[in-house]
Amino acid sequence: MLAVLVSLVSLGIVAQQCQAIVIYTGWERHALVGSDIRLSCSFFSWRWTSEDVTFSWTYRPDGSRDSISIFHYTGGEAYLDNKGPFKDRLEFVGNPGRRDGSILIKNLEFTDNGTFTCDAKNPPDIVGRPSSVRLLVFEKVPIQAGVITGAIIGVVLGLLVLIVVIYYLMRFLVARRVFSLNVSKHGKKKKEGSQQRQLWTPPPLTCYPLP
Amino acid sequence: MFVLAGIIVLHISTIILLLVATIDNAWWVTETVSTDLWGTWRLKSSEWHYHNLETSPDEFLQSVQASAVLACIFSILGLFVFVAQLFTLPKGQRFMFTGILQLISCLCVMIAASVYTAELHTGASGGYGHSYILAWISFVLTFLLALTYLILRKKSE
């Protein structure tokens, strides 16, 4: 009896956990100063996407503890920042029906370095953790660690495999060509050989009488 | 019989030296720092802490990493090809493929060590660590092994 009760309660807890909304953004984004960047935000929910789905983005500059709200989507309307640091630079490029709440920031500046947090709510599924993406603005995008290493190793090994494959292919092809030549010439050679045998008879031994 | 065993033992120990040189982070050593190719060990208040290299490591360091890894790969491939050729090579022939792989491995080690010497830590005070020394030792060993494979002939009785 107690076991049944415990299992029911735990099922209830698990069902509650199943209903938590899971929000996905990137982890880190690198961009060049002056370019545009699309910050993607999507969520997973066990419920159908409701009409009251809301997305909100908040921004916390690097080194600051305060965050300000820069974007809110609710009731089918998107509200963009019109007073803050992203005035006239934000654009909503998401598709709430497809659970996409991405925003586009245009003309990046060095002061845009910071953490962007996306919070999505899909009533009645509202329990969830907001997800953050860190934006790094560079003058020149650095090559990530390991890209050159991997590229060199990949190219050299690929060349090695290519050379070995070509070598064995050449050997195979030459063998095939020789084989096919032998087939057509084999008949001729046989005839020639037999003819030659007929033609070539050992010279008769002639004995010259001794003077 | 002994020649064969000796060559295989030498090849395996060369591979081990190459692996240690590539993996151990001790190419450049000062009193408080032991670094490269993959990370840096720093001595802080009598405890060693491991740091990753900065977000944009030198392009030269990345090419040293690639060469060292390629040298290990080619040497290990050479060992397998040698064992395979022991069984498949016609008698009286040279171990060409093995020799060539070993020669490429030797070349890669030389490139790695030379680029490291020429481009990194120029003018800084400190010394080269044991991984760097092992890299040069394995260069000599791979060269000798390559010569051996290219000269040796399979026994023909």
Side-chain angles (χ1 to χ4, degrees), chain A residues 60-153:
Chain A
R60 182 169 60 88
D62 260 351
S64 163
R65 263 192 255 169
D66 306 316
S67 49
I68 67 166
S69 188
I70 59 168
F71 173 83
H72 193 67
Y73 175 92
T74 183
E77 286 267 337
Y79 300 93
L80 307 166
D81 180 12
N82 53 4
K83 298 185 184 56
F86 296 97
K87 182 175 173 182
D88 298 330
R89 290 200 288 143
L90 271 183
E91 197 187 314
F92 181 56
V93 292
N95 190 346
R98 295 249 173 98
R99 300 182 171 181
D100 180 13
S102 310
I103 56 170
L104 180 76
I105 306 178
K106 295 186 264 221
N107 216 353
L108 283 167
E109 297 158 9
F110 283 117
T111 49
D112 293 336
N113 270 300
T115 312
F116 291 79
T117 309
C118 176
D119 193 10
K121 297 200 187 311
N122 184 27
D125 198 358
I126 54 147
V127 179
R129 285 212 181 88
S131 172
S132 306
V133 54
R134 186 133 184 267
L135 179 66
L136 294 158
V137 181
F138 293 101
E139 237 178 58
K140 186 180 80 154
V141 182
I143 304 173
Q144 286 192 306
V147 164
I148 300 181
T149 313
I152 295 176
I153 295 176

Side-chain angles (χ1 to χ4, degrees), chain A residues 34-52:
Chain A
S35 68
D36 304 339
I37 184 126
R38 182 178 193 268
L39 297 174
S40 67
C41 176
S42 67
F43 66 88
F44 173 78
S45 166
W46 289 99
R47 302 266 182 186
W48 296 111
T49 314
S50 88
E51 283 171 4
D52 303 324

Side-chain angles (χ1 to χ4, degrees), chain A residues 30 142-150, chain B residues 37-38 52-58 61-62 65:
Chain A
H30 300 209
I143 304 173
Q144 286 192 306
V147 164
I148 300 181
T149 313
Chain B
L37 302 163
W38 310 99
N52 279 319
L53 298 165
E54 287 90 43
T55 27
S56 63
D58 291 303
L61 185 64
Q62 294 203 25
Q65 285 174 349

Side-chain angles (χ1 to χ4, degrees), chain B residues 28 36-37 58 60-61 64 115-123 128:
Chain B
W28 178 259
D36 291 335
L37 302 163
D58 291 303
F60 286 116
L61 185 64
V64 173
V115 170
Y116 193 83
T117 319
E119 295 294 333
L120 272 72
H121 305 293
T122 45
Y128 286 109

